[in-house]
Amino acid sequence: MTKLHGMRWMTEEQIDELMNSFRTSFWIDEHRWFVRCISNEDCVSFETVSNAFHYTDKKLPGVFRSTDSQDNIERLYTTIDRISDVTLFNQPISSKIYFPKLHSLSVKCPINDQYWSMISNLHDVSSLSLDFTTDFSQSKLQALLNRMPHLRTLTIHQKSLLPLPMSLFNCTFPSSIYCLDFENCEHYFNEKDCIRLTRSSLASHCERLDIPVKNLQSIIILVCNMNNLCALRASFPDEQTYENRPSRICNDDEDIQWLIEHLPSTCAISRDPSCFNDIRIWIK
């Protein structure tokens, strides 16, 4: 597929006018060259039609045009393997639209009924991002997880004013999950939260964990109770970081020294040089 042209913005009338210039016998009858236009809020792209079509943009197009009658927007949707727009399923979309080949999915909870009609196959989804705006029903979350037997990475988004959804700790998660990312969760895990996490199926096979924590003791709980954990990145509240920043810049970082004294010798511990409130731990 060859990209012919791209620009920042065009009206639909301008797009139609340009597309009509590709509908002549020179393009269609003599050379069998077909052109499609895909437009979203960022740019407009003109491409030659190919059987190897694969749509990779994060958002669905606002405008779709093609000089090939067999090339339509329904075909575009069947090539999408990644949806990162959490508001997608809140938009009015034709009932004919479905996404059969997804590998990565972002959804905002609670999920509306339109979701189930558009996504018929979640078997190959390996990466899931959940954005919690309310406490999501455990039964609905479990139904979603049951359709993802090959899930490898789970990312949680949560606002600080909201409590952690209990469904996270009570559901049975696929044993294939090896990476948990709470980096975009604005709730800082205290010791009680960490104990609850380590006792859940969510963490039972986790090898990599990114998580915001309240204190150093939370790190001890995670490292000592997650048997498969190999790499941990823990972040602390910003105000706690700035209060102790001088001691963290120097070689005798008190937090690092405390962790060295309280964690097994198989742990390699350091502070992330690009972010003072992050501590990284590798477990051999």
Side-chain angles (χ1 to χ4, degrees):
M1 179 166 51
T2 304
K3 181 170 287 190
L4 299 178
H5 187 63
M7 58 184 64
R8 281 292 179 184
W9 185 80
M10 293 176 68
T11 65
E12 286 197 47
E13 290 76 13
Q14 290 172 322
I15 290 173
D16 288 334
E17 182 179 354
L18 187 52
M19 287 297 292
N20 286 335
S21 68
F22 296 115
R23 300 183 192 277
T24 64
S25 59
F26 171 83
W27 287 88
I28 295 177
D29 299 326
E30 294 180 32
H31 295 282
R32 303 292 295 173
W33 289 340
F34 299 97
V35 176
R36 78 164 60 89
C37 171
I38 297 176
S39 170
N40 56 38
E41 59 188 24
D42 297 320
C43 68
V44 180
S45 296
F46 292 86
E47 305 165 337
T48 54
V49 174
S50 165
N51 289 330
F53 179 43
H54 184 64
Y55 185 74
T56 59
D57 285 1
K58 293 183 178 180
K59 293 191 175 183
L60 300 183
V63 175
F64 182 93
R65 300 284 191 274
S66 178
T67 59
D68 182 357
S69 60
Q70 302 300 313
D71 184 41
N72 52 49
I73 197 166
E74 285 81 6
R75 180 185 175 218
L76 176 144
Y77 290 138
T78 63
T79 70
I80 293 177
D81 63 8
R82 178 185 302 269
I83 295 178
S84 58
D85 181 6
V86 296
T87 65
L88 171 64
F89 301 109
N90 296 325
Q91 304 170 16
I93 299 178
S94 169
S95 59
K96 297 179 180 179
I97 302 304
Y98 70 102
F99 306 89
K101 299 178 180 179
L102 290 176
H103 291 94
S104 178
L105 179 64
S106 297
V107 293
K108 192 170 187 176
C109 304
I111 302 171
N112 62 35
D113 293 337
Q114 186 178 209
Y115 168 87
W116 299 107
S117 63
M118 288 191 295
I119 298 183
S120 58
N121 180 19
L122 298 176
H123 189 268
D124 295 326
V125 172
S126 60
S127 177
L128 174 65
S129 176
L130 293 175
D131 189 334
F132 287 95
T133 56
T134 62
D135 191 2
F136 192 37
S137 160
Q138 181 177 336
S139 61
K140 290 185 177 180
L141 179 57
Q142 189 65 64
L144 178 67
L145 295 170
N146 289 345
R147 300 176 66 176
M148 300 181 181
H150 302 298
L151 187 61
R152 301 279 288 164
T153 300
L154 178 63
T155 301
I156 303 297
H157 298 256
Q158 174 84 0
K159 295 297 183 183
S160 59
L161 297 179
L162 298 173
L164 280 173
M166 292 306 298
S167 53
L168 274 178
F169 304 111
N170 296 330
C171 280
T172 300
F173 286 81
S175 60
S176 55
I177 295 179
Y178 83 99
C179 180
L180 287 178
D181 186 354
F182 290 94
E183 183 180 4
N184 294 307
C185 178
E186 297 179 15
H187 173 90
Y188 285 83
F189 282 61
N190 58 30
E191 295 167 49
K192 184 178 179 180
D193 294 329
C194 290
I195 291 173
R196 186 183 293 120
L197 175 62
T198 61
R199 292 176 178 175
S200 70
S201 67
L202 178 59
S204 60
H205 293 84
C206 177
E207 298 178 15
R208 295 175 54 188
L209 175 64
D210 282 11
I211 188 170
V213 296
K214 282 279 190 181
N215 51 48
L216 294 173
Q217 189 61 43
S218 296
I219 294 179
I220 302 296
I221 293 171
L222 294 170
V223 172
C224 294
N225 291 280
M226 294 179 65
N227 296 331
N228 293 301
L229 192 62
C230 297
L232 169 68
R233 185 173 70 174
S235 58
F236 294 89
D238 288 338
E239 62 272 14
Q240 183 176 333
T241 300
Y242 288 116
E243 287 175 3
N244 301 300
R245 183 168 179 173
S247 66
R248 289 175 173 175
I249 297 176
C250 62
N251 293 329
D252 57 342
D253 188 317
E254 294 178 1
D255 292 344
I256 300 298
Q257 292 301 319
W258 189 90
L259 287 171
I260 290 174
E261 294 172 3
H262 289 81
L263 286 175
S265 59
T266 53
C267 295
I269 309 165
S270 68
R271 191 171 294 281
D272 189 336
S274 63
C275 186
F276 285 107
N277 62 340
D278 284 10
I279 288 179
R280 303 175 300 181
I281 300 175
W282 292 267
I283 305 159
K284 300 176 183 177

